[in-house]
Amino acid sequence: MYIRRDLEKKLEKYKDVREIIAIVGTRQCGKTTLIEHFFSKLKNKEMISFEDQKTLNLFSTNIDLFIETHVKGIDYLFIDEFQYAKNGGKQLKYIYDNYDVKIFITGSSAPDLAVHGLKFLVGRVFILNLYPFSFSEFLRYKNEKLHEIYLEKKSSKEFLDMINRYYQEFAIYGGYPRVITSKTIEEKKDVLKNIYNTYFLREVKEILQLSDNFKLAKLIKILALQTGSLTNYSELCSTVEYKNIELLKSLNVLVQTFICIEAKPFFTNKKKEIIKSPEFFFLDNGFRNIVLNNFQALGDRVDTGSLNENFVASELIKGENELKYWRTKFKAEVDFILEKNGETIPIEVKSQLNDKKITRSFRNFLDMYEPKKGFIFSYNLIDSMNIKKTKVDFRGIVEIGKFA
């Protein structure tokens, strides 16, 4: 069964522009399924995969015969797993410059695509990210009628109570398509375990050229335990037994392979605000939970706040936002800061919130930066208040994708 994805709108928008479309994203997020569905509506097309060694060898060693076989006379060409082509960028540039064919490629590793292809395609490629399901996509699959109501700007406590039942599942098991469609809890856990091991075996371990993944597994577990905390490089190096350069390389690869999300500090005053230490989150809550082997319900966990923050961070990234946080050297902090359309928007994440309250830290930020609006997300409080020049909206956590 095909599950509709929001990225289809962009594919439709760009299907007839000249540029190559590169879709990148984690394994198991549905890139191939999406393209196959999209291509099923097109005529005069060719679909190939570079997991097929014969096709890959032909592309790499005899580009003219590859063109005769797969390019000439067609309008649309789709190449899956493009990152396996070591000199793929040069070959693709040749096809692009000399033949009138619309090309789509996919790759599961952003670093591999960059090394093997994208550097040769500057000005010739649009890069689109496909992530695990957003909560909106998840809800549309689970209950289309509720999803239609969800998309409306107005909401109510009663409605939030209804969709929070779906959030309970999404916050624990995440948004990988194969996990969402699993029929039982045990099947969901087995799928997540397979995804976790696949990352080590086929992505991160290979990229870092590791003989084993013991240190890397330890690093990821520490990041999972410290989700949303300031990163202390010296402490991490000591705990994982990494040299500083090894740690930085590993963290960068975890971000580039869509395992982790890096939030950088927002600042304008170097003397008073944190300017260097990043925070790390996970792109998918289910992936974080398999790392910790913890699938307890939200109400039974000691890390519920971290899970809710991680969910918000993931939704912000899926909405193509740059992730930032704010913290002063006097320990005032705001969970997330968005810079959007010339505005600076502070966001706080709470679990239970029964009435309109803001923290001293949040008020400090409002006093310092005077934003037009700010958001406080919790399970079920819907309200608003004005603080000087700022309108503060209280909304449900599940609604983050609609407002940010």
Side-chain angles (χ1 to χ4, degrees):
M1 176 184 176
Y2 176 74
I3 306 174
R4 186 154 50 98
R5 304 301 304 270
D6 290 342
L7 193 62
E8 287 180 47
K9 294 178 183 178
K10 282 192 176 180
L11 291 178
E12 187 64 37
K13 178 181 177 181
Y14 293 137
K15 72 179 178 67
D16 292 317
V17 301
R18 180 74 178 103
E19 286 80 4
I20 296 164
I21 303 299
I23 302 173
V24 297
T26 170
R27 289 187 180 276
Q28 299 295 313
C29 70
K31 297 184 300 296
T32 304
T33 303
L34 168 65
I35 286 294
E36 287 178 347
H37 174 78
F38 182 75
F39 259 53
S40 69
K41 299 177 286 186
L42 302 179
K43 296 180 180 180
N44 201 23
K45 66 213 173 190
E46 178 85 2
M47 300 182 67
I48 59 176
S49 173
F50 282 169
E51 283 192 316
D52 182 330
Q53 198 62 44
K54 289 184 179 180
T55 304
L56 175 59
N57 286 339
L58 183 64
F59 178 82
S60 301
T61 61
N62 193 335
I63 190 62
D64 291 326
L65 183 56
F66 176 88
I67 290 169
E68 287 289 339
T69 307
H70 297 290
V71 177
K72 282 188 176 180
I74 66 165
D75 296 321
Y76 300 96
L77 172 66
F78 166 44
I79 306 175
D80 200 13
E81 303 290 1
F82 182 77
Q83 75 274 3
Y84 290 130
K86 291 185 178 180
N87 296 308
K90 284 185 178 180
Q91 308 285 60
L92 211 59
K93 179 178 179 295
Y94 176 75
I95 296 173
Y96 177 91
D97 288 344
N98 292 282
Y99 295 90
D100 185 21
V101 59
K102 176 66 181 184
I103 303 171
F104 296 78
I105 62 174
T106 67
S108 58
S109 167
D112 276 353
L113 272 186
V115 169
H116 300 320
L118 301 185
K119 66 181 179 180
F120 296 100
L121 299 173
V122 175
R124 298 174 174 85
V125 62
F126 287 164
I127 302 172
L128 304 179
N129 291 314
L130 183 66
Y131 300 108
F133 275 48
S134 67
F135 181 75
S136 176
E137 291 174 314
F138 169 80
L139 184 63
R140 181 170 58 212
Y141 167 68
K142 289 287 186 176
N143 191 320
E144 198 152 354
K145 289 184 178 179
L146 275 183
H147 180 257
E148 290 175 4
I149 302 172
Y150 169 84
L151 292 179
E152 299 173 1
K153 287 291 183 180
K154 293 182 179 181
S155 191
S156 67
K157 182 182 182 303
E158 292 73 23
F159 179 68
L160 287 182
D161 287 341
M162 294 174 67
I163 60 175
N164 277 339
R165 299 171 193 168
Y166 293 97
Y167 175 66
Q168 291 285 329
E169 177 184 341
F170 191 80
I172 300 302
Y173 298 102
Y176 282 99
R178 182 65 180 82
V179 174
I180 289 173
T181 57
S182 295
K183 301 300 182 183
T184 66
I185 296 302
E186 287 307 310
E187 186 180 351
K188 291 179 187 294
K189 293 178 182 178
D190 287 341
V191 172
L192 283 167
K193 187 183 297 183
N194 179 63
I195 291 172
Y196 174 71
N197 290 329
T198 298
Y199 267 116
F200 284 127
L201 295 176
R202 299 192 64 179
E203 295 293 339
V204 183
K205 185 178 174 182
E206 291 180 4
I207 292 169
L208 292 172
Q209 298 180 328
L210 301 175
S211 57
D212 63 69
N213 56 33
F214 175 76
K215 288 183 180 181
L216 188 63
K218 193 173 182 180
L219 172 62
I220 289 182
K221 186 167 186 177
I222 292 172
L223 292 176
L225 289 168
Q226 298 180 353
T227 299
S229 300
L230 286 181
T231 302
N232 186 319
Y233 290 123
S234 297
E235 188 177 286
L236 273 179
C237 284
S238 176
T239 304
V240 185
E241 300 179 38
Y242 265 152
K243 295 179 181 178
N244 189 63
I245 191 168
E246 291 177 310
L247 175 65
L248 294 177
K249 184 177 180 181
S250 295
L251 289 172
N252 181 58
V253 169
L254 290 177
V255 172
Q256 293 299 315
T257 51
F258 307 100
I259 295 176
C260 289
I261 307 166
E262 181 180 10
K264 297 180 179 179
F266 170 89
F267 64 91
T268 59
N269 188 325
K270 293 183 179 181
K271 292 183 179 180
K272 294 182 178 181
E273 297 168 315
I274 300 295
I275 65 171
K276 288 185 178 180
S277 300
E279 296 178 351
F280 287 94
F281 298 87
F282 283 75
L283 183 61
D284 185 78
N285 270 22
F287 189 97
R288 177 186 182 272
N289 285 334
I290 193 65
V291 169
L292 297 175
N293 194 27
N294 184 356
F295 293 97
Q296 288 179 292
L298 287 176
D300 300 328
R301 305 175 68 115
V302 296
D303 64 346
T304 299
S306 295
L307 264 183
N308 288 333
E309 278 192 45
N310 197 88
F311 164 75
V312 170
S314 175
E315 291 288 293
L316 291 175
I317 288 296
K318 291 169 187 174
E320 305 297 334
N321 296 289
E322 183 180 4
L323 211 58
K324 291 187 178 182
Y325 71 92
W326 179 74
R327 185 174 294 200
T328 72
K329 294 178 181 178
F330 304 103
K331 298 187 177 180
E333 59 182 310
V334 174
D335 293 329
F336 302 106
I337 305 295
L338 293 191
E339 295 176 284
K340 200 165 186 176
N341 300 323
E343 291 187 50
T344 300
I345 306 170
I347 293 174
E348 276 282 276
V349 183
K350 303 293 181 185
S351 297
Q352 298 290 349
L353 200 61
N354 297 318
D355 51 28
K356 296 183 292 184
K357 291 181 179 178
I358 66 169
T359 63
R360 181 179 297 179
S361 292
F362 197 81
R363 187 179 290 272
N364 286 344
F365 186 88
L366 301 187
D367 290 341
M368 186 178 299
Y369 287 99
E370 298 184 333
K372 292 181 180 179
K373 60 185 176 183
F375 290 95
I376 298 178
F377 291 95
S378 66
Y379 288 143
N380 54 17
L381 181 62
I382 298 177
D383 213 325
S384 65
M385 63 189 296
N386 292 309
I387 300 176
K388 295 182 179 179
K389 297 181 179 181
T390 306
K391 181 184 179 184
V392 179
D393 273 324
F394 295 80
R395 308 297 305 194
I397 288 175
V398 291
E399 298 185 286
I400 177 66
K402 297 197 298 183
F403 293 96

